Amino acid sequence: MRRAFLACGVVVMLTASGCAFLRQFLSTAFQAPTLAFKSVALRDASFEGIGVDLTWLLNNPNSVGLNLAEVDYAFFVDDKQVVAGSPPRGFQVAANGQSDLLFPVGLKFADVAQVVQTFLTKDTAHYKAQGHLGIDTPLGLIKLPLEKDGDFEVPKLPTVRFENPKVTNVGIQGATIEFPLSVGNRNSYPLPIAGIAGGLSIAGSQVGTLSTGNLG
């Protein structure tokens, strides 16, 4: 009985010593991952809203892969918080490499401005992203801060100019008047315009309607 007890005690002491050595080895060999802001990009711009994609670059200098354990993220436009997406928990961070982390935002202008038309008169809007990522590592959970602010371009209304009209299809019941339009995009990115419609008045009396159909 005494010999069995002593043998068991030696095993426990060696195991504890081994764990301490392993922790010391990991703390010396393991390098903390780093997180850096990479880019902001606009997508799906319209007069109702805009898509904003923020990308961070996560660098893992270690020979083992890491997992994204938690995400705490908030996105603000003109100091008003809007709904934003984030990478899923469990996202794999490659060993000895870099991984892009995408944070997409689908911004509806009505969520940040009571009058959307007033918001569209601005040239830019201010955004702020903040929070942290929790990375699961051999040393435990490591938290990396997320923080970035800047400005993005607000869609501008297109310029519409009437060219000289011309009369076509004259008949007993009436005539068709064509109004050539010159439509200009003042933005640095493509902007969809479904169509232009309105009414036609001559000498104060409404005599017809205007419609371009789908402009694409």
Side-chain angles (χ1 to χ4, degrees), residues 35 56 58 68-73 86-87 101 103 131-135 141-146:
L35 185 68
W56 268 266
L58 183 59
L68 182 61
E70 65 180 35
V71 181
D72 178 20
Y73 182 69
S86 61
L101 299 181
F103 294 78
H132 77 270
L133 298 180
I135 307 298
L141 188 68
I142 293 180
K143 294 186 177 182
L144 303 176
L146 278 168

Side-chain angles (χ1 to χ4, degrees), residues 17-189:
S17 175
C19 289
F21 173 78
L22 181 60
R23 284 194 297 268
Q24 183 179 3
F25 172 77
L26 288 175
S27 63
T28 303
F30 185 82
Q31 301 181 58
T34 58
L35 185 68
F37 179 76
K38 183 178 180 180
S39 65
V40 57
L42 303 183
R43 56 172 170 79
D44 303 329
S46 72
F47 297 121
E48 296 180 352
I50 197 169
V52 182
D53 288 338
L54 282 82
T55 304
W56 268 266
L57 185 64
L58 183 59
N59 179 49
N60 178 19
N62 301 282
S63 59
V64 294
L66 305 175
N67 295 325
L68 182 61
E70 65 180 35
V71 181
D72 178 20
Y73 182 69
F75 189 84
F76 301 83
V77 174
D78 287 352
D79 296 326
K80 294 186 179 180
Q81 186 172 356
V82 298
V83 178
S86 61
R89 291 172 176 81
F91 178 85
Q92 296 289 320
V93 183
N96 293 320
Q98 298 177 330
S99 299
D100 284 347
L101 299 181
L102 178 65
F103 294 78
V105 180
L107 171 63
K108 298 296 183 183
F109 296 143
D111 294 337
V112 295
Q114 293 182 345
V115 181
V116 174
Q117 197 167 13
T118 301
F119 188 85
L120 294 178
T121 61
K122 303 171 59 175
D123 291 330
T124 60
H126 187 74
Y127 72 87
K128 179 176 64 175
Q130 63 184 30
H132 77 270
L133 298 180
I135 307 298
D136 191 13
T137 76
L139 299 179
L141 188 68
I142 293 180
K143 294 186 177 182
L144 303 176
L146 278 168
E147 190 164 354
K148 176 65 179 178
D149 68 323
D151 298 311
F152 64 85
E153 183 181 353
V154 175
K156 304 178 185 65
L157 295 172
T159 59
V160 180
R161 185 177 70 252
F162 285 96
E163 305 292 348
N164 294 327
K166 60 180 180 179
V167 179
T168 61
N169 300 329
V170 179
I172 299 176
Q173 297 180 346
T176 299
I177 305 177
E178 293 182 356
F179 288 86
L181 295 177
S182 176
V183 182
N185 182 11
R186 298 183 294 156
N187 301 281
S188 61
Y189 46 82

